[in-house]
Amino acid sequence: MGGQALAAPSLNTGKGAYRRIQLVNSRLQERLDAVYWIDGEYVPEALQEISGILRDWRADLVKPYHERALDVLAAAHRKMDVDEPFEVVSGYRSPQTNAAMRQRSSGVARNSYHTRAMAVDVKLKSRSVRQIAGAAESLSAGGVGRYSRSNFVHMDCGPVRTWGA
């Protein structure tokens, strides 16, 4: 995992020396509320649990998630000051799953960050696509896609860029 560290100081500040992520995956009927980083160290067991809830449910495949993608997700959640967990629309996608999805939708990228476990599509009942995307964009820490018609936001830890309406 790991890889090149991205300069995003806004992700490293917060309420105390820990990072927490709250997720619900309705397709899998799974919920997770985990502290995955404490005092400068990632918690391996929590990272495994997070990767599990973000697995490719179509193929039942788990790939270890890139920590920076989780940092982006957690920081965006913290900026919105909500107790509600992010609802996972799409997490990891195997190359085969991604290819099958591309055949059905023009909105699926050929070299999607989802296939690298570096992207998550999420939504919140209490916040609009505009609000969620705004929180993510304010971090300047990766890609943010707005999918208003489908009611979700894409966040990744790739280059800073935005798309959608």
Side-chain angles (χ1 to χ4, degrees), residues 18 44 56 61 68-69 90 95 102 109-110 116 119-120 122 133 136 152:
Y18 71 91
D56 180 339
L61 293 173
R68 294 298 295 169
S90 186
R102 274 184 52 78
R110 180 184 313 275
R116 299 182 232 172
V120 183
V122 294
F152 72 85

Side-chain angles (χ1 to χ4, degrees), residues 29-132:
Q29 299 300 308
E30 294 176 3
R31 299 180 75 82
L32 177 72
D33 185 345
V35 172
Y36 69 95
W37 182 92
I38 303 171
D39 294 328
E41 298 290 327
Y42 289 98
V43 179
E45 299 83 7
L47 294 176
Q48 287 177 338
E49 288 183 52
I50 295 165
S51 295
I53 199 168
L54 295 175
R55 71 187 175 273
D56 180 339
W57 59 270
R58 292 165 184 89
D60 199 29
L61 293 173
V62 176
K63 181 170 180 150
Y65 248 79
H66 196 289
E67 294 95 345
R68 294 298 295 169
L70 305 178
D71 290 341
V72 169
L73 202 61
H77 194 267
R78 190 170 56 244
K79 278 193 166 270
M80 289 181 288
D81 194 27
V82 294
D83 290 327
E84 170 190 358
F86 272 128
E87 184 175 337
V88 177
V89 174
S90 186
Y92 170 65
R93 295 195 298 244
S94 69
Q96 296 80 3
T97 294
N98 199 67
M101 290 178 69
R102 274 184 52 78
Q103 290 179 341
R104 292 192 302 274
S105 172
S106 62
V108 177
R110 180 184 313 275
N111 295 314
S112 171
Y113 280 94
H114 287 278
T115 65
R116 299 182 232 172
M118 294 172 67
V120 183
D121 298 339
V122 294
K123 60 184 175 179
L124 289 169
K125 289 182 179 93
S126 66
R127 298 292 188 268
S128 68
V129 166
R130 181 184 57 77
Q131 290 170 314
I132 299 167

